[in-house]
Amino acid sequence: MLLTHQNHGYPSVRLPVYARNLVATSHPLGAQAGLRMLAQGGNAVDAAVAAAAVMTVVEPVSNGLGSDAFALVWDGQRLHGLNASGRAPQAWVPGYFTHRLGADALTPPKRGIDSVTVPGAISGWVALSERFGRLPFADLMQPAIEVAERGFAVPTVVQGKWAAAVPELHRQPGFAGAFLPKGRAPELGEWFQFAAAARGLRSIAATRGESFYRGDIAQAMARFVAAHGGALTEADLAAHAPEWVEPVGHAYRGHTLHELPPNGQGIAAQMALGLLSHFDLASLPVDGPDCMHLQIEAMKLAFADVYRYVAEPAAMQATVAQLLDPSYLADRARLIDPRRARAPKAGSPADPHRQGGTIYLTAADEQGMMVSFIQSNYMGFGSGCVEPSFGISLQNRGHGFGLPASPLNPANLVAPGKRPFHTIIPAFLTRPALDGQGREWMGADGQPVLEPVMSFGVMGANMQPQGHVQTLVRLLDHGQPLQAACDAPRWRFNTGLSLNVEAGMDPATVQGLRALGHCIDVLDDPYQDFGAGQFIWRLGDPAKRGYVAASDPRRDGLVAGW
């Protein structure tokens, strides 16, 4: 299935890459930084952290030093989850925003200093390095420091989105000084240097991230925010800590999809696949409207529940177990009409009568370690606010909270020290390991032993779980090659009956979806609307057979391997 490249007819020039050690990112310099760490004796975690640091420099539209991050790590034996998302400032009681925005405001601002939450990405780098890395943490920062100081030529996709952000963000504090060095966005191929970020990275390297939360960078961020009327303080930064969490697994077609638990939306992909398990997708043409329609309708039902219930776990009114309960998903699957599009509402998984703008990268090494890693400033350039002395481009995750006037998820109401609903979700696929007789290998705890299959992710706001579902259906239901499943034209559900599809989708399929009741806009902007993924599939013993990887043609990315 995955070993041969096929001329699948999708508009892409990408080919799969085979190697025993691989790094796949949406910018070549990030992949090369990861490969450099592997060549120095590091492992997949070292490679992922080094690549992530470089990505904050070379793809500033999508992430920066002021971002959040999440990760899934297969250590060779089991899967670990890391939530490195930040919390609201202690001053963010609901009245903070109603006083500033009025009682009718539904969310905190989309941009500006009042959208800024504690940045968690740096703490995630440190936590990954301390628990799993081999190389000194400072070595992992060196490629990013070099790129920031020396500069790089701005590539095609990044340049287009950089220029598009300028009208909205050019007046935000610190933005023009950091990202408009000649009073405009860099042109395609123009050299861009980020000396302030290099200073920040050097401080992070020298202190193993301590300066970012309890040192000179933390002090600079707090001063900057205060000067522009915001709420984030040194105490908020000092209180931050990443959290190791147990990944959530859900079965589909003989495999298990693993996602991180809330406050993220990964459960949406698992719910949609749980609904789709009640349909024979393999009997339908992979690029036909009937197969896509079922996926779209399943995704709608999953989102209806996720937007109603998912938030910081302690505040949720329905548990993950309730949302993934097989009988609940079976009931919800019966709401799908194969012949007509619908606009569903949230269900009642907690019914007492019921039983029972982001960058993604992945790395794998020949010892069997695999890393699924994602970090983001949320929307392009985040808040638009950039602390000038250390180049900290602050995220706008605060916009993800609800305010008292919002009719949506009450569990996601803003509160001091609370984490908002999050969109960025790394993913991982496993399957049961088999013994010599082809039977499932059971562990000492009586549970099936799992073996790794794929580390993957698809960046792009609410496109992320939709991308997970579409890719897995292509791989597991239809047996498409890895690069083909990555290249294939995608759809994106918005709200109600609204759907976006890529311009490369077969017009007959588009017309078929319209005939089923979908309100479709055909768009030719893959970066913004259809996400971009990186995928590494294990082919067997990593030391002998290695992996195959695919990088999404919708970004400037690269798979690097040896």
Side-chain angles (χ1 to χ4, degrees):
M1 172 181 74
L2 297 161
L3 298 181
T4 58
H5 176 70
Q6 299 176 359
N7 182 12
H8 46 67
Y10 303 138
S12 169
V13 296
R14 298 286 175 91
L15 294 174
V17 176
Y18 298 84
R20 293 198 303 271
N21 301 271
L22 286 166
V23 186
T25 74
S26 54
H27 193 289
L29 294 180
Q32 291 166 16
L35 206 62
R36 176 173 158 184
M37 297 302 105
L38 290 166
Q40 290 177 199
N43 59 21
V45 161
D46 295 314
V49 173
V54 169
M55 294 303 294
T56 65
V57 179
V58 298
E59 201 169 315
V61 179
S62 302
N63 72 141
L65 294 176
S67 292
D68 276 350
F70 295 83
L72 289 164
V73 179
W74 181 268
D75 66 1
Q77 301 296 322
R78 63 181 297 265
L79 195 63
H80 307 264
L82 179 66
N83 182 332
S85 63
R87 299 177 182 272
Q90 286 298 314
W92 276 16
V93 297
Y96 176 90
F97 291 103
T98 55
H99 174 72
R100 293 181 172 220
L101 304 175
D104 295 334
L106 301 180
T107 68
K110 177 182 175 183
R111 305 289 191 178
I113 210 70
D114 274 336
S115 67
V116 176
T117 52
V118 173
I122 306 306
S123 72
W125 300 353
V126 174
L128 288 167
S129 174
E130 288 180 344
R131 185 165 183 177
F132 295 111
R134 289 181 183 169
L135 300 176
F137 182 78
D139 290 2
L140 310 183
M141 299 295 103
Q142 192 57 37
I145 293 169
E146 293 171 6
V147 172
E149 290 182 334
R150 182 183 67 243
F152 64 96
V154 176
T156 304
V157 176
V158 170
Q159 193 280 330
K161 297 305 171 184
W162 199 323
V166 172
E168 182 180 8
L169 300 177
H170 69 282
R171 290 190 176 89
Q172 292 296 341
F175 183 85
F179 296 124
L180 308 178
K182 296 182 179 179
R184 54 165 173 78
E187 296 176 351
L188 179 62
E190 188 170 353
W191 205 249
F192 177 75
Q193 295 170 289
F194 202 175
R199 286 193 294 272
L201 285 159
R202 285 193 179 280
S203 178
I204 290 165
T207 65
R208 295 181 60 85
E210 183 69 12
S211 65
F212 195 91
Y213 297 100
R214 285 164 286 276
D216 55 353
I217 297 179
Q219 293 164 8
M221 281 193 284
R223 285 195 302 268
F224 173 76
V225 170
H228 296 284
L232 189 71
T233 66
E234 286 188 63
D236 293 321
L237 293 161
H240 172 77
E243 180 184 5
W244 291 101
V245 296
E246 187 65 29
V248 177
H250 193 70
Y252 185 72
R253 308 299 193 216
H255 294 71
T256 299
L257 171 62
H258 302 268
E259 302 274 2
L260 290 173
N263 54 318
Q265 64 174 339
I267 192 176
Q270 295 171 314
M271 294 178 70
L273 291 173
L275 300 172
L276 290 172
S277 66
H278 297 277
F279 297 89
D280 182 11
L281 298 185
S283 68
L284 302 172
V286 62
D287 289 313
D290 293 336
C291 185
M292 291 189 184
H293 169 74
L294 292 174
Q295 296 171 65
I296 293 162
E297 295 302 290
M299 203 71 248
K300 290 179 184 178
L301 286 161
F303 274 138
D305 280 347
V306 164
Y307 293 152
R308 171 62 180 81
Y309 295 110
V310 170
E312 179 80 292
M316 285 175 57
Q317 298 175 348
T319 67
V320 169
Q322 289 168 334
L323 289 164
L324 292 177
D325 177 76
S327 65
Y328 176 65
L329 294 179
D331 285 350
R332 296 287 277 171
R334 284 190 279 271
L335 298 176
I336 295 176
D337 183 346
R339 308 311 312 161
R340 197 67 189 165
R342 292 181 172 179
K345 297 180 180 180
S348 300
D351 186 337
H353 299 292
R354 175 168 300 284
Q355 299 300 315
T358 301
I359 67 96
Y360 174 82
L361 61 90
T362 178
D365 63 38
E366 59 190 271
Q367 285 75 44
M369 180 175 281
M370 302 174 72
V371 182
S372 182
F373 181 93
I374 198 162
Q375 68 186 17
S376 173
N377 57 23
Y378 191 21
M379 299 175 181
F381 287 111
S383 66
C385 304
V386 186
E387 191 286 315
S389 55
F390 294 103
I392 313 299
S393 178
L394 294 164
Q395 66 186 12
N396 63 328
R397 280 291 167 187
H399 181 61
F401 281 118
L403 296 180
S406 173
L408 302 177
N409 186 356
N412 193 44
L413 184 68
V414 70
K418 187 176 181 179
R419 294 178 298 195
F421 175 86
H422 238 285
T423 57
I424 60 175
I425 51 172
F428 203 90
L429 191 70
T430 64
R431 63 188 166 209
L434 303 179
D435 63 17
Q437 284 73 47
R439 298 171 300 193
E440 288 189 6
W441 183 16
M442 307 303 289
D445 58 0
Q447 298 299 312
V449 174
L450 300 177
E451 64 179 23
V453 175
M454 180 171 65
S455 174
F456 73 106
V458 179
M459 62 196 92
N462 76 339
M463 183 63 210
Q464 296 187 47
Q466 302 187 61
H468 292 189
V469 168
Q470 291 176 62
T471 302
L472 289 178
V473 166
R474 290 180 175 279
L475 292 172
L476 303 183
D477 288 279
H478 296 279
Q480 285 195 315
L482 192 64
Q483 188 68 55
C486 176
D487 295 346
R490 295 183 183 136
W491 48 265
R492 171 173 170 158
F493 165 68
N494 297 309
T495 59
L497 300 177
S498 171
L499 193 71
N500 296 341
V501 300
E502 282 192 280
M505 187 173 288
D506 185 342
T509 297
V510 176
Q511 184 56 38
L513 289 170
R514 285 188 170 127
L516 290 167
H518 298 281
C519 299
I520 295 177
D521 288 322
V522 179
L523 301 179
D524 192 14
D525 186 359
Y527 179 102
Q528 183 67 29
D529 288 284
F530 303 104
Q534 312 293 332
F535 307 83
I536 296 180
W537 185 286
R538 183 167 136 155
L539 297 174
D541 181 349
K544 296 178 181 178
R545 299 194 65 199
Y547 310 86
V548 59
S551 183
D552 204 302
R554 298 166 182 85
R555 291 283 180 97
D556 301 303
L558 176 76
V559 179
W562 64 286

